[in-house]
Amino acid sequence: METKWLEDFVSLAETRSFSRSAQLRHVTQPAFSRRIQSLEAWAGTDLVDRSSYPTRLTPAGQTLYEQALELLQSLQTTRAMLRAHNATASDTIEFAVPHSLAFTFFPAWLSGLRGICGPIKSRLTALNVHDAVLRLVEGHADLLIAFHHPSQPIQLDAQRYEMLPLGREVLVPCVRATADGQALYRLPGSAAHPVPYLAYAPGAYLGRVVEHLLKTSPQPVHLDRVYETDMAEGLKAMAREGHGIAFLPLSAVQKDLTAGKLVVAGQGLEMPMDIRIYRERPAERPASSHAIAATPTPAAVFWARLRDSIEGKTP
């Protein structure tokens, strides 16, 4: 038995869709189906009526669903209590942050919070967006910072996770500047002369946002994909060397634009995005006269102060 099987099963019971639950649980649909089958093997009976659509639970599945809710709630409460015991020994806040935000946004953002939140001990793990989300979901990070665009929403259950907006970012097409300050290449290019394109690797979050931008552009954009990587800093380095055009976060290239090392390669091809922070909602403590109030963790204190500052509340 693995607790993630129960979490998968609860999600399936609530969405009544294998594909939707697989998306919410950040796994492929075949992998999600195998985990449900593993739970059924452990239970020794069918839990899902696969002959119906939408998906429906069997009587045994309904019984397990009700028990799983109580069990998972109890486990979350216990984990919160254990973390509270450890809070006095560990006052470091764990952040999971995509590479592009780790290099550009995070350092300045954290500096700006010193007056609001006081000294902060933090540990940052930089990953791709998918792995950063999994780090939060699997309980290995206190907080997740990520981009958000309506075309590529972060699939986190709002009943389990809460979010605060942190700011805005803009993707802009950048290219090396010539000696006279002009763009070495300029969009949109042409079918006969496509522009060398420095792209994000397949599956990269910013790459999917750029693909959406290009598909919805009112004018055709002609690109020749000559290089790819999943890191914005790698694309910026290639663009500075004149290898082609890259769509980069404005915060990552602002200094280069000001210094004249890079220039914007075309107007009307910018893509605004949000920057958001997420955390798992605290588990509700059982109503008991014997319950002892847990000491708030450093992450919980930080979140409360951050929320108050965003909402304009004063201490």
Side-chain angles (χ1 to χ4, degrees):
M1 160 62 74
E2 297 185 31
T3 55
K4 66 183 179 182
W5 297 351
L6 290 177
E7 292 172 344
D8 292 341
F9 180 68
V10 168
S11 175
L12 179 61
E14 293 175 350
T15 67
R16 304 178 69 186
S17 167
F18 275 84
S19 59
R20 175 61 175 159
S21 285
Q23 189 178 38
L24 290 172
R25 298 288 293 154
H26 303 283
V27 296
T28 63
Q29 186 169 337
F32 182 84
S33 296
R34 287 194 296 271
R35 277 156 49 163
I36 296 298
Q37 290 169 358
S38 296
L39 181 62
E40 290 179 314
W42 174 86
T45 186
D46 289 340
L47 303 172
V48 180
D49 181 358
R50 292 172 174 79
S51 66
S52 65
Y53 185 84
T55 300
R56 186 171 57 193
L57 300 184
T58 63
Q62 185 62 39
T63 298
L64 180 60
Y65 171 62
E66 294 167 359
Q67 295 298 315
L69 288 175
E70 294 184 12
L71 177 59
L72 291 172
Q73 182 65 50
S74 177
L75 286 172
Q76 288 185 25
T77 301
T78 302
R79 184 175 70 172
M81 295 170 65
L82 294 175
R83 286 183 172 182
H85 281 297
N86 193 46
T88 55
S90 176
D91 54 358
T92 300
I93 302 173
E94 298 272 359
F95 289 88
V97 185
H99 292 105
S100 52
L101 287 170
F103 285 120
T104 58
F105 173 81
F106 186 83
W109 172 73
L110 200 61
S111 295
L113 291 174
R114 286 175 181 165
I116 300 170
C117 301
I120 301 167
K121 294 183 180 181
S122 61
R123 181 181 295 114
L124 182 147
T125 303
L127 315 110
N128 61 46
V129 173
H130 177 268
D131 290 344
V133 173
L134 279 182
R135 194 164 182 83
L136 176 68
V137 170
E138 294 175 353
H140 301 308
D142 300 304
L143 303 172
L144 162 71
I145 297 177
F147 290 119
H148 168 79
H149 188 269
S151 70
Q152 300 294 329
I154 300 294
Q155 300 290 347
L156 287 172
D157 185 355
Q159 293 185 342
R160 181 175 174 185
Y161 300 93
E162 57 184 321
M163 176 276 296
L164 293 172
L166 297 183
R168 298 277 282 174
E169 181 61 275
V170 182
L171 281 177
V172 292
C174 295
V175 67
R176 179 176 177 173
T178 61
D180 59 355
Q182 301 300 308
L184 182 60
Y185 305 104
R186 184 165 290 278
L187 295 174
S190 66
H193 301 285
V195 176
Y197 177 37
L198 310 173
Y200 294 94
Y205 184 87
L206 292 182
R208 297 197 299 271
V209 174
V210 172
E211 290 303 310
H212 174 76
L213 167 63
L214 297 174
K215 288 179 181 178
T216 57
S217 172
Q219 59 178 341
V221 180
H222 303 278
L223 300 172
D224 179 19
R225 196 183 190 101
V226 298
Y227 176 78
E228 63 181 41
T229 180
D230 59 356
M231 296 182 64
E233 286 296 311
L235 294 180
K236 182 175 76 171
M238 291 292 286
R240 288 181 59 174
E241 293 299 322
H243 292 287
I245 282 176
F247 287 82
L248 298 166
L250 183 59
S251 62
V253 296
Q254 189 64 69
K255 292 182 179 178
D256 292 279
L257 294 173
T258 302
K261 296 178 181 179
L262 293 173
V263 294
V264 176
Q267 301 299 318
L269 287 169
E270 301 85 11
M271 178 61 79
M273 299 181 295
D274 294 324
I275 301 173
R276 297 179 171 183
I277 187 169
Y278 302 83
R279 75 159 181 171
E280 186 174 8
R281 295 182 184 275
E284 295 184 5
R285 294 178 58 79
S288 170
S289 58
H290 302 290
I292 301 175
T295 302
T297 64
V301 173
F302 174 82
W303 183 273
R305 292 177 178 173
L306 176 62
R307 180 183 58 216
D308 288 346
S309 70
I310 290 173
E311 295 176 353
K313 297 179 180 178
T314 55

